[in-house]
Amino acid sequence: KAGVTQTPRYLIKTRGQQVTLSCSPISGHRSVSWYQQTPGQGLQFLFEYFSETQRNKGNFPGRFSGRQFSNSRSEMNVSTLELGDSALYLCASSLTGMPGNTIYFGEGSWLTVV
Amino acid sequence: AQSVTQPDIHITVSEGASLELRCNYSYGATPYLFWYVQSPGQGLQLLLKYFSGDTLVQGIKGFEAEFKRSQSSFNLRKPSVHWSDAAEYFCAVAPKVSTDSWGKLQFGAGTQVVVTP
């Protein structure tokens, strides 16, 4: 069974641009979460989607957004990129997103903002 | 405030020696507990999880963890470390009942493990 797949794996963007990252969850998983990982802040929860609806959200500015499609695939978007947005963005999936569900992570998308 | 603490930022261990990584949590009730490992340039791989029951949990790659309610701890152990165990290890928790728990884990800061020959 395929794991969580994220694309692209690496990308470089210029300050002020926007970026879209894509995530395909494990087959049968309907909950998709996104996390940002930086050396300074560690792993931080961005948001979670289930059945095309955002159910949970972390403390990030509105420049960070996401969506989920009917096949559970998800995208996240960051607009007006800042240097501080350089990070590893991890997508994770679980069956339903309920507390206690095992959460599986993809390999991440490395974003560098220059 | 709810928190997850990994007291050791960095641990160096000799190959073949035992390893113990500490994790303490502060929650109103015992949460669900997880350990993940991250190799350089990679995502997170689940090592093991504790939901309830037997307090000694076996995971993959020869790891085990022990839940101690009295100490609010969930320490990860491996009897004999291999060079391939060099990685960063994260303790994570999910509260059992919370309005903002959907799909969310709270992570500790991580412990970097270096394995020397």
Side-chain angles (χ1 to χ4, degrees):
Chain A
K1 185 156 133 173
V4 179
T5 305
Q6 293 187 243
T7 56
R9 288 294 317 280
Y10 305 92
L11 65 167
I12 300 173
K13 290 287 187 178
T14 303
R15 198 170 36 177
Q17 287 186 316
Q18 73 161 5
V19 66
T20 299
L21 309 178
S22 180
C23 172
S24 293
I26 292 172
S27 177
H29 286 194
R30 297 172 62 195
S31 168
V32 174
S33 301
W34 289 88
Y35 290 78
Q36 181 195 64
Q37 185 178 23
T38 60
Q41 299 298 316
L43 281 151
Q44 294 185 285
F45 173 77
L46 280 156
F47 31 65
E48 185 258 4
Y49 285 85
F50 181 84
S51 290
E52 303 178 64
T53 300
Q54 186 183 90
R55 262 192 326 194
N56 200 358
K57 188 176 187 305
N59 295 322
F60 279 82
R63 299 185 298 106
F64 292 81
S65 63
R67 60 177 175 169
Q68 186 181 35
F69 302 95
S70 58
N71 61 358
S72 295
R73 191 176 68 85
S74 176
E75 290 180 347
M76 71 161 281
N77 184 278
V78 187
S79 63
T80 319
L81 283 165
E82 301 176 358
L83 296 179
D85 297 332
S86 294
L88 177 64
Y89 290 88
L90 291 163
C91 173
S93 76
S94 67
L95 281 170
T96 65
M98 283 188 63
N101 268 197
T102 300
I103 295 178
Y104 298 90
F105 286 82
E107 296 202 331
S109 293
W110 287 92
L111 171 64
T112 301
V113 182
V114 297
Chain B
Q2 298 175 334
S3 65
V4 184
T5 303
Q6 293 181 245
D8 305 305
I9 296 173
H10 188 276
I11 284 181
T12 299
V13 60
S14 299
E15 191 168 13
S18 64
L19 174 68
E20 181 167 13
L21 304 181
R22 296 182 290 163
C23 174
N24 295 93
Y25 61 89
S26 176
Y27 276 76
T30 301
Y32 296 110
L33 299 160
F34 306 82
W35 275 99
Y36 286 86
V37 61
Q38 185 176 37
S39 298
Q42 301 298 313
L44 299 172
Q45 182 181 23
L46 178 69
L47 286 174
L48 46 76
K49 59 190 178 187
Y50 176 75
F51 287 179
S52 65
D54 192 346
T55 57
L56 188 62
V57 180
Q58 301 298 320
I60 63 171
K61 304 186 178 189
F63 284 92
E64 66 178 24
E66 185 173 15
F67 167 66
K68 292 186 177 179
R69 183 188 305 275
S70 62
Q71 298 178 19
S72 296
S73 69
F74 187 54
N75 294 348
L76 182 71
R77 300 193 293 247
K78 185 168 185 177
S80 178
V81 168
H82 187 262
W83 64 266
S84 60
D85 294 322
E88 191 158 21
Y89 293 78
F90 292 92
C91 180
V93 306
K96 289 182 178 176
V97 179
S98 174
T99 56
D100 71 342
S101 290
W102 298 110
K104 179 180 178 182
L105 292 171
Q106 182 172 5
F107 285 89
T111 298
Q112 184 70 47
V113 173
V114 173
V115 180
T116 60

